[in-house]
Amino acid sequence: VSDKTRLATAANRIAWDNSAKHHATGASWDALITGFGDPAYSVLDKTLTNALRAAGVRGGEIVQIGCNNGREVLSTLALGARAGLGIDQSRAFLDQGEILTKISGRNCQFLCSDIYALPLDTPNDFDVAFITIGVLNWMPDLAGFFKAVANLLKPGGQLVIYETHPFLEMFDPAADAPFAPKFSYFHTAPIIETLAITYDGTVHDDAPETHWFIHRMSDVLTGCLTAGMQIIEFQEFAHSIREVDYDIYADQDAQLPMSFLLRASKPAS
Ligand SMILES: C[S@@+](CC[C@H](N)C(=O)[O-])C[C@H]1O[C@@H](n2cnc3c(N)ncnc32)[C@H](O)[C@@H]1O
């Protein structure tokens, strides 16, 4: 692992831990506390639910990388997964995941680790791995990331990615002219900010610095292929799965792609 990757992931771990307190309060958190009391509760939308079903979630062991408070990996148990593992390097968010797990009574565990430095005894025979909104851009090195993710899967296992479309990263909804591209599609330096990480823009505290990386769609596809995965489904969508301030880019005549879904399999031998 390079120094760039180590420095960025260490900074991001501190920033995510620091932001966790903002997420364990308010209406969204209350909805999770109430929701996970219901055995059928799931926060997953139709697109992701269908992709996980196609990937074989029913009866399988599933791992989520960058699981945050665990709400999504816990939801896969309602889709029939046999067991879930959420991997994240933020202890403070995994503590929230433990609270939700207890309420739900679902068969889910958490591993607190940087994906670039997984313990040697991490299981490597998952049926399904998945990554959702807001993970790839925290990764300084996509090739190394996909190698680590592919290693978690058994031969024949499938990976599902449901993420922000890289084109959207060219725009900043908080800019004076939010419809003018702000960042080059080919920007490679980290974008370093010192804002608390929230999904609704309600907290404006200064916070530890975050390192955010713009990747091209070709970086995602190449990272996946170089890790030995075979792409079996790839879709681009006009709908947003991002924070609410990105909703201004939806329902336009000249529509940007806002999200994508990729499903890939690890060859059986
Ligand atoms: C935006 S959140 C994911 C939210 C999730 N999609 C959801 O909707 O609940 C991104 C997560 O990635 C985690 N993360 C960032 N870099 C990581 C790394 N190198 N290893 C493991 N987790 C990491 C952060 O701690 C954070 O919890």
Side-chain angles (χ1 to χ4, degrees):
V1 177
S2 71
D3 284 350
K4 173 188 156 195
T5 296
R6 235 192 309 270
L7 284 171
T9 53
N12 288 340
R13 178 173 49 77
I14 293 167
W16 275 99
D17 274 341
N18 185 270
S19 291
K21 56 183 175 288
H22 303 306
H23 296 251
T25 171
S28 307
W29 178 247
D30 291 346
L32 294 177
I33 295 280
T34 311
F36 277 112
D38 172 356
Y41 182 70
S42 167
V43 299
L44 307 175
D45 72 7
K46 215 171 167 183
T47 304
L48 184 55
T49 298
N50 288 342
L52 290 171
R53 287 208 167 112
V57 67
R58 182 164 289 280
E61 296 203 9
I62 186 161
V63 58
Q64 181 178 18
I65 302 94
C67 70
N68 195 256
N69 65 15
R71 66 194 187 113
E72 293 176 319
V73 66
L74 280 167
S75 296
T76 66
L77 278 295
L79 303 186
R82 187 167 72 244
L85 177 72
I87 299 177
D88 202 288
Q89 65 169 354
S90 168
R91 180 74 262 167
F93 272 101
L94 294 186
D95 287 346
Q96 296 174 16
E98 300 285 5
I99 293 171
L100 298 178
T101 304
K102 213 169 202 172
I103 291 170
S104 73
R106 298 182 192 186
N107 184 17
C108 190
Q109 295 191 322
F110 297 101
L111 170 62
C112 188
S113 173
D114 175 2
I115 184 65
Y116 293 103
L118 288 174
L120 288 176
D121 61 354
T122 306
N124 60 0
D125 54 356
F126 286 96
D127 300 287
V128 179
F130 76 114
I131 295 157
T132 66
I133 180 73
V135 170
L136 295 182
N137 295 99
W138 294 104
M139 300 302 155
D141 161 24
L142 276 194
F145 175 74
F146 280 116
K147 210 170 144 197
V149 170
N151 280 341
L152 293 167
L153 285 170
K154 69 174 193 192
Q158 291 198 19
L159 167 66
V160 173
I161 305 174
Y162 186 37
E163 259 285 12
T164 286
H165 198 292
F167 281 10
L168 201 59
E169 287 302 304
M170 296 175 69
F171 298 87
D172 177 3
D176 289 341
F179 285 90
K182 179 170 171 184
F183 299 106
S184 166
Y185 186 63
F186 300 95
H187 187 94
T188 51
I191 295 169
I192 298 177
E193 288 185 334
T194 53
L195 278 173
I197 308 166
T198 59
Y199 302 147
D200 55 9
T202 48
V203 178
H204 301 282
D205 299 357
D206 262 359
E209 66 180 32
T210 53
H211 293 231
W212 180 257
F213 299 87
I214 291 183
H215 300 298
R216 296 162 286 188
M217 189 59 92
S218 56
D219 297 327
V220 178
L221 299 176
T222 307
C224 215
L225 293 169
T226 309
M229 304 290 292
Q230 291 174 346
I231 294 169
I232 47 182
E233 181 182 357
F234 179 56
Q235 294 193 64
E236 295 165 293
F237 302 112
H239 68 252
S240 179
I241 52 173
R242 278 201 79 141
E243 301 92 322
V244 283
D245 45 345
Y246 281 81
D247 287 355
I248 56 167
Y249 300 113
D251 301 320
Q252 299 293 310
D253 287 337
Q255 181 62 53
L256 278 165
M258 297 195 74
S259 51
F260 74 93
L261 183 122
L262 185 151
R263 192 156 57 85
S265 70
K266 181 167 171 167
S269 59

mmCIF file of all heavy atoms in Angstrom, residues 48 63-66 72 129-133 135-136 145-146 149 159-163:
data_model
loop_
_atom_site.group_PDB
_atom_site.id
_atom_site.type_symbol
_atom_site.label_atom_id
_atom_site.label_comp_id
_atom_site.label_asym_id
_atom_site.label_seq_id
_atom_site.Cartn_x
_atom_site.Cartn_y
_atom_site.Cartn_z
ATOM 1 N N LEU A 48 -31.325 -1.873 -6.373
ATOM 2 C CA LEU A 48 -30.321 -2.652 -5.640
ATOM 3 C C LEU A 48 -30.890 -3.994 -5.185
ATOM 4 O O LEU A 48 -30.199 -5.027 -5.251
ATOM 5 C CB LEU A 48 -29.802 -1.833 -4.447
ATOM 6 C CG LEU A 48 -28.674 -2.457 -3.636
ATOM 7 C CD1 LEU A 48 -27.477 -2.837 -4.511
ATOM 8 C CD2 LEU A 48 -28.212 -1.494 -2.532
ATOM 9 N N VAL A 63 -21.154 -9.801 2.051
ATOM 10 C CA VAL A 63 -20.267 -8.837 2.708
ATOM 11 C C VAL A 63 -20.461 -7.478 2.047
ATOM 12 O O VAL A 63 -20.585 -7.386 0.829
ATOM 13 C CB VAL A 63 -18.783 -9.296 2.634
ATOM 14 C CG1 VAL A 63 -18.303 -9.488 1.204
ATOM 15 C CG2 VAL A 63 -17.867 -8.336 3.384
ATOM 16 N N GLN A 64 -20.527 -6.432 2.869
ATOM 17 C CA GLN A 64 -20.580 -5.067 2.337
ATOM 18 C C GLN A 64 -19.298 -4.338 2.731
ATOM 19 O O GLN A 64 -18.900 -4.345 3.900
ATOM 20 C CB GLN A 64 -21.791 -4.291 2.887
ATOM 21 C CG GLN A 64 -21.857 -2.871 2.294
ATOM 22 C CD GLN A 64 -23.054 -2.058 2.766
ATOM 23 O OE1 GLN A 64 -23.669 -2.395 3.771
ATOM 24 N NE2 GLN A 64 -23.350 -0.992 2.047
ATOM 25 N N ILE A 65 -18.705 -3.689 1.760
ATOM 26 C CA ILE A 65 -17.465 -2.951 2.014
ATOM 27 C C ILE A 65 -17.818 -1.473 2.111
ATOM 28 O O ILE A 65 -18.420 -0.908 1.205
ATOM 29 C CB ILE A 65 -16.435 -3.190 0.875
ATOM 30 C CG1 ILE A 65 -16.148 -4.692 0.759
ATOM 31 C CG2 ILE A 65 -15.138 -2.432 1.151
ATOM 32 C CD1 ILE A 65 -16.976 -5.425 -0.241
ATOM 33 N N GLY A 66 -17.436 -0.840 3.238
ATOM 34 C CA GLY A 66 -17.832 0.543 3.488
ATOM 35 C C GLY A 66 -19.277 0.571 3.966
ATOM 36 O O GLY A 66 -20.106 1.327 3.470
ATOM 37 N N GLU A 72 -27.573 -1.082 5.428
ATOM 38 C CA GLU A 72 -27.802 -1.788 4.159
ATOM 39 C C GLU A 72 -27.474 -3.272 4.281
ATOM 40 O O GLU A 72 -28.230 -4.118 3.782
ATOM 41 C CB GLU A 72 -26.974 -1.129 3.052
ATOM 42 C CG GLU A 72 -27.456 0.282 2.744
ATOM 43 C CD GLU A 72 -26.600 0.987 1.716
ATOM 44 O OE1 GLU A 72 -25.363 0.860 1.765
ATOM 45 O OE2 GLU A 72 -27.153 1.688 0.862
ATOM 46 N N ALA A 129 -20.653 -9.863 -2.653
ATOM 47 C CA ALA A 129 -20.069 -8.663 -2.036
ATOM 48 C C ALA A 129 -20.790 -7.473 -2.642
ATOM 49 O O ALA A 129 -21.167 -7.508 -3.817
ATOM 50 C CB ALA A 129 -18.571 -8.582 -2.335
ATOM 51 N N PHE A 130 -21.001 -6.423 -1.855
ATOM 52 C CA PHE A 130 -21.616 -5.241 -2.460
ATOM 53 C C PHE A 130 -21.060 -3.940 -1.891
ATOM 54 O O PHE A 130 -20.541 -3.891 -0.771
ATOM 55 C CB PHE A 130 -23.148 -5.306 -2.437
ATOM 56 C CG PHE A 130 -23.826 -5.037 -1.112
ATOM 57 C CD1 PHE A 130 -24.628 -3.910 -0.953
ATOM 58 C CD2 PHE A 130 -23.698 -5.913 -0.045
ATOM 59 C CE1 PHE A 130 -25.294 -3.663 0.242
ATOM 60 C CE2 PHE A 130 -24.347 -5.668 1.161
ATOM 61 C CZ PHE A 130 -25.141 -4.537 1.307
ATOM 62 N N ILE A 131 -21.165 -2.921 -2.759
ATOM 63 C CA ILE A 131 -20.627 -1.588 -2.466
ATOM 64 C C ILE A 131 -21.694 -0.608 -2.917
ATOM 65 O O ILE A 131 -22.205 -0.722 -4.039
ATOM 66 C CB ILE A 131 -19.351 -1.340 -3.296
ATOM 67 C CG1 ILE A 131 -18.239 -2.311 -2.887
ATOM 68 C CG2 ILE A 131 -18.881 0.103 -3.177
ATOM 69 C CD1 ILE A 131 -17.222 -2.505 -3.989
ATOM 70 N N THR A 132 -22.054 0.328 -2.071
ATOM 71 C CA THR A 132 -23.110 1.266 -2.467
ATOM 72 C C THR A 132 -22.638 2.704 -2.348
ATOM 73 O O THR A 132 -21.493 2.972 -1.966
ATOM 74 C CB THR A 132 -24.370 1.081 -1.603
ATOM 75 O OG1 THR A 132 -24.042 1.456 -0.272
ATOM 76 C CG2 THR A 132 -24.872 -0.338 -1.639
ATOM 77 N N ILE A 133 -23.570 3.568 -2.622
ATOM 78 C CA ILE A 133 -23.342 5.010 -2.733
ATOM 79 C C ILE A 133 -22.341 5.564 -1.715
ATOM 80 O O ILE A 133 -22.483 5.338 -0.514
ATOM 81 C CB ILE A 133 -24.696 5.753 -2.626
ATOM 82 C CG1 ILE A 133 -24.528 7.261 -2.723
ATOM 83 C CG2 ILE A 133 -25.478 5.375 -1.381
ATOM 84 C CD1 ILE A 133 -24.203 7.706 -4.093
ATOM 85 N N VAL A 135 -18.801 5.239 -1.592
ATOM 86 C CA VAL A 135 -17.627 4.478 -1.135
ATOM 87 C C VAL A 135 -16.441 4.649 -2.098
ATOM 88 O O VAL A 135 -15.323 4.979 -1.674
ATOM 89 C CB VAL A 135 -17.972 2.981 -0.944
ATOM 90 C CG1 VAL A 135 -16.719 2.149 -0.699
ATOM 91 C CG2 VAL A 135 -18.937 2.818 0.230
ATOM 92 N N LEU A 136 -16.671 4.479 -3.395
ATOM 93 C CA LEU A 136 -15.535 4.466 -4.330
ATOM 94 C C LEU A 136 -14.725 5.766 -4.272
ATOM 95 O O LEU A 136 -13.500 5.744 -4.411
ATOM 96 C CB LEU A 136 -16.019 4.221 -5.765
ATOM 97 C CG LEU A 136 -16.663 2.851 -6.034
ATOM 98 C CD1 LEU A 136 -17.049 2.720 -7.505
ATOM 99 C CD2 LEU A 136 -15.737 1.710 -5.618
ATOM 100 N N PHE A 145 -8.140 -1.477 -4.343
ATOM 101 C CA PHE A 145 -9.447 -1.679 -3.708
ATOM 102 C C PHE A 145 -10.141 -2.902 -4.313
ATOM 103 O O PHE A 145 -10.598 -3.796 -3.597
ATOM 104 C CB PHE A 145 -10.300 -0.420 -3.894
ATOM 105 C CG PHE A 145 -11.701 -0.552 -3.382
ATOM 106 C CD1 PHE A 145 -11.972 -0.549 -2.026
ATOM 107 C CD2 PHE A 145 -12.766 -0.674 -4.267
ATOM 108 C CE1 PHE A 145 -13.275 -0.677 -1.550
ATOM 109 C CE2 PHE A 145 -14.064 -0.796 -3.806
ATOM 110 C CZ PHE A 145 -14.311 -0.801 -2.441
ATOM 111 N N PHE A 146 -10.208 -2.968 -5.647
ATOM 112 C CA PHE A 146 -10.926 -4.083 -6.283
ATOM 113 C C PHE A 146 -10.222 -5.417 -6.050
ATOM 114 O O PHE A 146 -10.859 -6.464 -5.972
ATOM 115 C CB PHE A 146 -11.131 -3.815 -7.773
ATOM 116 C CG PHE A 146 -12.292 -2.901 -8.020
ATOM 117 C CD1 PHE A 146 -12.116 -1.656 -8.594
ATOM 118 C CD2 PHE A 146 -13.573 -3.286 -7.658
ATOM 119 C CE1 PHE A 146 -13.198 -0.810 -8.804
ATOM 120 C CE2 PHE A 146 -14.668 -2.444 -7.860
ATOM 121 C CZ PHE A 146 -14.468 -1.202 -8.436
ATOM 122 N N VAL A 149 -11.386 -6.493 -2.707
ATOM 123 C CA VAL A 149 -12.801 -6.899 -2.756
ATOM 124 C C VAL A 149 -12.935 -8.276 -3.424
ATOM 125 O O VAL A 149 -13.643 -9.155 -2.921
ATOM 126 C CB VAL A 149 -13.637 -5.839 -3.505
ATOM 127 C CG1 VAL A 149 -15.044 -6.343 -3.782
ATOM 128 C CG2 VAL A 149 -13.675 -4.535 -2.702
ATOM 129 N N LEU A 159 -20.126 -9.681 -7.343
ATOM 130 C CA LEU A 159 -19.962 -8.338 -6.778
ATOM 131 C C LEU A 159 -21.027 -7.424 -7.372
ATOM 132 O O LEU A 159 -21.249 -7.436 -8.588
ATOM 133 C CB LEU A 159 -18.571 -7.790 -7.145
ATOM 134 C CG LEU A 159 -18.328 -6.300 -6.924
ATOM 135 C CD1 LEU A 159 -18.372 -5.954 -5.427
ATOM 136 C CD2 LEU A 159 -16.978 -5.885 -7.514
ATOM 137 N N VAL A 160 -21.690 -6.635 -6.518
ATOM 138 C CA VAL A 160 -22.661 -5.637 -6.982
ATOM 139 C C VAL A 160 -22.172 -4.258 -6.526
ATOM 140 O O VAL A 160 -21.862 -4.066 -5.346
ATOM 141 C CB VAL A 160 -24.068 -5.915 -6.395
ATOM 142 C CG1 VAL A 160 -25.022 -4.776 -6.742
ATOM 143 C CG2 VAL A 160 -24.618 -7.243 -6.910
ATOM 144 N N ILE A 161 -22.095 -3.335 -7.477
ATOM 145 C CA ILE A 161 -21.744 -1.940 -7.148
ATOM 146 C C ILE A 161 -22.910 -1.056 -7.581
ATOM 147 O O ILE A 161 -23.379 -1.163 -8.723
ATOM 148 C CB ILE A 161 -20.484 -1.466 -7.912
ATOM 149 C CG1 ILE A 161 -19.309 -2.406 -7.656
ATOM 150 C CG2 ILE A 161 -20.120 -0.046 -7.513
ATOM 151 C CD1 ILE A 161 -18.081 -2.058 -8.499
ATOM 152 N N TYR A 162 -23.389 -0.223 -6.681
ATOM 153 C CA TYR A 162 -24.479 0.724 -6.999
ATOM 154 C C TYR A 162 -24.001 2.069 -6.473
ATOM 155 O O TYR A 162 -24.000 2.308 -5.264
ATOM 156 C CB TYR A 162 -25.745 0.249 -6.287
ATOM 157 C CG TYR A 162 -27.025 1.011 -6.605
ATOM 158 C CD1 TYR A 162 -27.302 1.502 -7.876
ATOM 159 C CD2 TYR A 162 -27.978 1.188 -5.617
ATOM 160 C CE1 TYR A 162 -28.501 2.166 -8.142
ATOM 161 C CE2 TYR A 162 -29.180 1.848 -5.873
ATOM 162 C CZ TYR A 162 -29.431 2.328 -7.147
ATOM 163 O OH TYR A 162 -30.618 2.975 -7.407
ATOM 164 N N GLU A 163 -23.557 2.910 -7.377
ATOM 165 C CA GLU A 163 -22.798 4.094 -6.955
ATOM 166 C C GLU A 163 -23.171 5.349 -7.749
ATOM 167 O O GLU A 163 -23.885 5.281 -8.754
ATOM 168 C CB GLU A 163 -21.292 3.817 -7.173
ATOM 169 C CG GLU A 163 -20.519 3.442 -5.927
ATOM 170 C CD GLU A 163 -20.235 4.642 -5.005
ATOM 171 O OE1 GLU A 163 -20.814 5.732 -5.192
ATOM 172 O OE2 GLU A 163 -19.435 4.471 -4.074
#
